[in-house]
Amino acid sequence: MTAPHRDDWNPRAASVQDNQIQAYDTMRRECPVAWSEYQQWTLFRYADVMRVLEDPESFSNAVSAHLSVPNGMDPPEHTRYRDVIEPYFAPEPMARFEPVCRDVARRLVQSIQKNQPLDVVNTLSRPFALQIQCAFMGWPESLHQPLADWVLKNHRATLAGDRAAMAEVAEEFDGYIRGLLDARRQPDGTASNDVTTQLMREQINGQPMDDEELVSLLRNWTVGELATISASVSILIHYLAQHPGQLDALKAAPDTLSSAIDEILRINAPLISNRRITTREVEIGGRTIPAGEKITLLWASANRDEDIFGDPDQYCPHDNAPKNLLYGAGIHVCPGAPLARLELNVFMEELLKQIDTVEPVASEQPELALFPAGGFNSLTLVFR
């Protein structure tokens, strides 16, 4: 690989991390295809990101040196796993899960202490993401606190860029998964027929998945869900605190909630980026990118591209829905989108039933999350 002579930008600079969305807006206008040692090539424009999504032969998902099921796979291998996974998010299982999801959401929002400052991240968004993922997978409540502690350790290791700590944290999570698999193999016949048990019975190419495949699948499924659902909840509540008229409109017309959620999360992305690797030399935006180079697709920028959406902060759910990349596009479009939409819709429905207003606290400025996370690290609001 022959690297360019200098970085076009520094993704980890304080000026970027202080407000990722604002920084990406600037880069999209000034240097839409940018090189950095940290991310290699970064694409900021909608058209360039779509080009990658629509050409999986030139832009491979097999970026990681480690097994990544199915995120880090290309067809035909990717297709085999997707065929197994997608039925778990079909309308029937989503309908079965809805009452469980609603119970989790209702219990959380009914615990809100009104008329006093509340950190939304620690009291609502992170607990909801954790509890709802465990409920969907059939994992015990005893795992809630260990996983909550693990999320914080993973966050700290990622922010520090400490590869040794990140590897240790990853191994800890894999240990939880292996324990869940082992418990379901005990001969006492007590294993419930939950999603995790069902996945253990699935076959790829006529063979059950081995533990390495199952751990990778469940790790990708869970880590992604915990991060994006938590970020989404805090982003949504923050937006309504900043736009009280929109909160009133949603309370008056709850049938518009689904499209509103997608649009708010287009404006402020819960998932910042994904990666690809080139399989051949390509030219994008006047830059020649050799084969074997890593590319970062910045959803948080592409979904705000003025050439596609006009004013990126303008709230236009109906106009923007067909172009929204919240759940990706192409063959790697998020298979769990129906579950994420169900969870967010149900949570926000229950929240809007419970509150009249949500207000910022002037003395408590939100702390934005840092790359690769979206949303907030802390967000203090008052519910009334």
Side-chain angles (χ1 to χ4, degrees), residues 112-343:
I112 291 174
Q113 298 295 311
K114 294 185 180 179
N115 304 313
Q116 63 185 45
L118 179 77
D119 182 0
V120 168
V121 175
N122 287 323
T123 60
L124 290 176
S125 60
R126 282 180 182 157
F128 178 67
L130 185 79
Q131 292 176 31
I132 209 67
Q133 178 66 5
C134 287
F136 183 72
M137 299 304 299
W139 297 350
E141 292 186 6
S142 60
L143 202 55
H144 288 178
Q145 191 57 50
L147 276 180
D149 296 338
W150 179 88
V151 167
L152 295 177
K153 284 187 281 188
N154 185 55
H155 180 68
R156 287 194 293 266
T158 302
L159 281 183
D162 186 335
R163 293 189 177 277
M166 290 165 68
E168 184 177 333
V169 169
E171 185 58 35
E172 179 183 344
F173 184 85
D174 289 359
Y176 293 137
I177 300 298
R178 293 180 191 279
L180 292 164
L181 299 179
D182 289 344
R184 283 160 172 75
R185 294 188 176 113
Q186 297 305 310
D188 57 12
T190 58
S192 60
N193 189 35
D194 54 38
V195 168
T196 302
T197 303
Q198 292 171 39
L199 284 169
M200 294 171 68
R201 300 178 185 138
E202 298 286 2
Q203 295 193 348
I204 305 293
N205 295 329
Q207 297 293 326
M209 286 184 277
D210 61 28
D211 277 11
E212 185 182 11
E213 292 169 297
L214 285 166
V215 168
S216 176
L217 172 58
L218 294 172
R219 182 200 309 120
N220 286 332
W221 201 330
T222 301
V223 174
E225 182 83 354
L226 293 178
T228 54
I229 293 298
S230 175
S232 295
V233 168
S234 61
I235 289 167
L236 292 167
I237 298 175
H238 177 259
Y239 188 90
L240 296 182
Q242 297 294 321
H243 301 83
Q246 190 59 53
L247 187 150
D248 293 340
L250 290 174
K251 287 178 69 69
D255 58 306
T256 64
L257 184 58
S258 180
S259 59
I261 288 171
D262 280 9
E263 175 68 348
I264 294 167
L265 298 180
R266 177 197 65 77
I267 293 169
N268 189 349
L271 176 64
I272 298 296
S273 66
N274 281 132
R275 296 189 300 164
R276 300 291 192 271
I277 189 166
T278 54
T279 61
R280 62 177 181 85
E281 182 179 283
V282 295
E283 184 174 317
I284 303 178
R287 309 290 295 265
T288 299
I289 303 178
E293 298 274 74
K294 291 179 182 177
I295 292 180
T296 298
L297 307 179
L298 265 185
W299 310 114
S301 174
N303 243 358
R304 293 174 54 82
D305 190 331
E306 294 84 352
D307 289 344
I308 304 299
F309 301 103
D311 179 355
D313 291 306
Q314 187 69 38
Y315 176 85
C316 300
H318 181 267
D319 292 345
N320 292 333
K323 302 163 285 189
N324 193 338
L325 293 177
L326 175 60
Y327 294 103
I331 65 169
H332 293 286
V333 66
C334 177
L339 176 62
R341 284 193 165 106
L342 169 68
E343 292 170 350

